[in-house]
């Protein structure tokens, strides 16, 4: 494959890939690639494939194939992977925050922003390929709601990192252990949600029933257990913070409460992903 | 009849032209689901299409040919002026061929069946008279255009539900797929062989002396032989653990891919049996008039006419059709073999039964109906209903278009030859 020249606007979108891949649609061609982009290094492209997805009215096209819309399943799963990757950055992010290594913290913040942008791109692509005329085995609204919940994980992580970096937030030493535990458990919830969404292609294959449906229900059950734990941990972290708050600058405390709340939202969103999957099963 | 040879030659050329058009464009629709699901390669598709379209046309195309030839027009009013019917049939062939060519160039989803039926009704209404059209028969044909996608849809819905229930929803889908897929192969071969032997073979003068019992036994025998061959290939499939990690049903789908090779053959056979008649029915009519100088109602279809149609399709496939099929191969459809086979088996069965009863149906519409049936069983991730609507609506335009073109050609031919 020869050299590909992208317009600057497209190139910037490609740069937003982070460490995974992105599909760029130019005209009727879909460029899929996976590449590694690290800061201050040339991008390493692992794999680039070009797929002709033009459905234009050119002659010699076959109309039976035109009745099959682009399946939303693989893009939905790609989107969830990216959102989970974003959530995974949160643990190193807070570890560095506690150590107050602000350079590294802002580097991690940059990665999170890039990943969140990638998730947004995928979200737009999925929405674009689901016009109302599509006849699908699941209601369009349920699928879009699932997509929204997935995307909300990436958004929340970005908001958290923005708050922390912007305020150079200091996490009280006495709070650290339970705080990191709390972050970890919320990431676990996101991981379980991701694992559940990975079963989406299998669910489509089996027609949302039988052994595969039972398996997904089991995963969602496990997800609920984790989410319950995050709720308990959140209460515990807030309790500890409450004991410390009189010795801390009041505004810092207000934002610390806000960050804790946002971290808890990751678990809530993961749980909501589980609910949406269950809805898909029940139709 | 003077000029008899000229008429026969013209009919053969026009018939070949239309058969070529069917091979160039329509066959791709019949093969699309198989290639799109990656069950067979483009090369294999071409080979399957060439062999089975041809055999479908020759072995099972006779009954529909008869309908096109003399089922739509009541020729009894034409005993004094048989050449009018001849001009009409030539005009209809030319009209349908030209209309198909235009539509193929523009990428419009038109059906060969609708074109030729519209063309024949057109010239008969204007050139001969309203009474000359057998409206009862036409009504039955039009009703079948609604019924055939519906029946195929119900069949594919039931088939895919059975696949879900027997195989996909179970904890051990691979074991079950290997166990049950040979039965589906048997079912596909049995159905097609049975209808062909009951209804089609009498036109090629073989097998017509078999009793009903012997026919059933033969069909069962064919089914068992192919199922055993299929089982041999299925047993050799080894689980691909690496691919299964990413997609658990990878190996299961490969088992279904074996089945889909069989249904692809069935689809090509069904298409050949029904659509080739569109091209050669009028040819057969012209030949019998030119030869015997009377509007005969009983002469059988000569085998060489069936051969002509089969050849036309293969030539169309070789010259133009492979490009169309190659474009299908490039497009990635999300129709895995477990769904594709259900759609194809349902469509092929419906079409072959229609062929056996002599009803010209639209292959494309029947297949789309079958795909929708799988969709109703929650089998397909996304179907664009706008495109479906456009395909179904296209016949409303095709019939008048074919009719008007054939009226024009009819008067042109009449002026030239008399």
């Amino acid at each position: 494959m020869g050299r590909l020249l992208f317009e600057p606007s497209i190139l910037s979108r490609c740069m937003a890939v982070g460490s995974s891949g992105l599909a760029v649609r130019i005209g009727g061609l879909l460029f899929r690639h996976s590449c590694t982009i690290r800061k201050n290094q040339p991008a390493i492209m692992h794999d680039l494939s070009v797929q002709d997805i033009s459905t234009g009215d050119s002659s010699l096209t076959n109309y039976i194939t035109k009745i099959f819309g682009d399946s939303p399943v693989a893009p939905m799963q790609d989107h969830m992977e990216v959102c989970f990757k974003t959530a995974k950055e949160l643990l190193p992010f807070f570890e560095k925050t506690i150590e107050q290594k602000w350079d590294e913290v802002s580097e991690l913040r940059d990665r999170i922003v890039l990943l969140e942008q990638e998730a947004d791109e995928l979200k737009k692509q999925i929405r674009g390929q689901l016009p109302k005329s599509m006849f699908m085995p699941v209601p369009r609204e349920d699928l879009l709601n699932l997509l929204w919940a997935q995307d909300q994980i990436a958004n929340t992580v970005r908001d958290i990192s923005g708050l922390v970096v912007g305020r150079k937030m200091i996490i009280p030493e006495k709070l650290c252990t339970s705080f990191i535990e709390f972050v970890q458990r919320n990431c676990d919830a996101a991981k379980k949600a991701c694992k559940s969404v990975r079963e989406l292609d299998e669910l489509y294959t089996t027609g949302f029933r039988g052994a595969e449906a039972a398996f997904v229900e089991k995963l969602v059950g496990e997800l609920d257990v984790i989410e319950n734990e995050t709720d308990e941990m959140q209460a515990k972290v807030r309790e500890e913070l409450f004991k410390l708050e009189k010795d801390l600058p009041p505004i810092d405390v207000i934002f610390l409460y806000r960050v804790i709340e946002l971290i808890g939202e990751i678990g809530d969103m993961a749980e909501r992903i589980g609910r949406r999957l269950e809805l898909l099963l029940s139709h | 009849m003077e000029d008899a040879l000229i008429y026969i030659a013209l009919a053969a050329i026009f018939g070949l032209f239309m058969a070529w058009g069917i091979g160039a464009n329509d066959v791709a629709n019949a093969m699309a689901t198989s290639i799109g699901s990656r069950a067979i390669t483009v090369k294999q598709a071409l080979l399957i299409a060439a062999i089975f379209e041809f055999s479908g046309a020759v072995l099972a195309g006779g009954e529909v040919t008869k309908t096109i030839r003399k089922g739509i027009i009541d020729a009894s009013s034409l005993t004094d002026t048989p050449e009018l019917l001849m001009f009409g049939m030539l005009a209809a062939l030319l009209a349908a061929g030209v209309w198909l060519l235009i539509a193929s160039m523009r990428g419009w989803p038109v059906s060969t069946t609708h074109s030729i039926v519209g063309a024949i009704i057109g010239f008969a209404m204007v050139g001969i008279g309203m009474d000359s059209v057998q409206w009862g028969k036409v009504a039955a044909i039009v009703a079948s255009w609604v019924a055939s996608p519906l029946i195929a849809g119900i069949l594919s819905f039931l088939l895919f539900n059975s696949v879900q229930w027997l195989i996909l929803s179970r904890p051990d889908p691979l074991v079950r797929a290997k166990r049950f897929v040979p039965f589906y192969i048997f079912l596909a071969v049995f159905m097609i062989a049975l209808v062909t032997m009951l209804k089609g073979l009498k036109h090629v003068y073989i097998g017509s002396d078999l009793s009903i019992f012997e026919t059933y036994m033969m069909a069962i025998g064919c089914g068992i032989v192919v199922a055993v061959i299929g089982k041999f290939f299925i047993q050799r499939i080894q689980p691909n653990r690496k691919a299964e990690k990413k997609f658990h049903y990878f190996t299961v789908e490969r088992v279904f891919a074996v089945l889909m090779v069989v249904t692809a053959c069935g689809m090509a056979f069904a298409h050949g049996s029904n659509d080739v008649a569109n091209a050669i029915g009028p040819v057969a009519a012209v030949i019998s008039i030119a030869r015997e100088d009377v509007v005969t109602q009983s002469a059988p279809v000569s085998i060489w006419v069936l051969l002509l149609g089969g050849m036309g399709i293969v030539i169309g496939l070789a010259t133009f059709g492979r490009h169309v099929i190659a474009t299908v191969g490039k497009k990635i459809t999300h129709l895995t073999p477990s769904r594709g086979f259900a759609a194809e088996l349902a469509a092929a069965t419906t079409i072959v039964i229609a062929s056996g009863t002599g009803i010209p149906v639209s292959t494309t519409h029947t297949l789309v109906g079958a795909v929708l049936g799988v969709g109703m069983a929650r089998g397909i991730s996304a179907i664009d209903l706008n495109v479906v609507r456009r395909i179904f609506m296209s016949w409303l335009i095709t019939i008048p278009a074919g009719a008007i073109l054939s009226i024009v050609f009819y008067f042109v031919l009449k002026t030239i030859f008399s």
Side-chain angles (χ1 to χ4, degrees), chain A residues 249-263:
Chain A
I251 296 181
D252 283 6
V253 171
I254 290 171
F255 278 100
L256 208 47
Y257 273 121
R258 174 85 187 118
V259 164
I260 290 167
E261 201 179 301
L262 282 173
I263 293 169

Side-chain angles (χ1 to χ4, degrees), chain A residues 62-92:
Chain A
N62 176 278
Y63 37 87
I64 288 267
T65 52
K66 281 189 198 162
I67 73 172
F68 299 105
D70 291 326
S71 165
V73 180
M76 287 286 288
Q77 291 180 312
D78 290 348
H79 179 264
M80 186 65 228
E81 294 290 340
V82 174
C83 294
F84 170 52
K85 246 182 220 166
T86 319
K88 238 176 22 184
E89 297 292 340
L90 216 49
L91 203 62

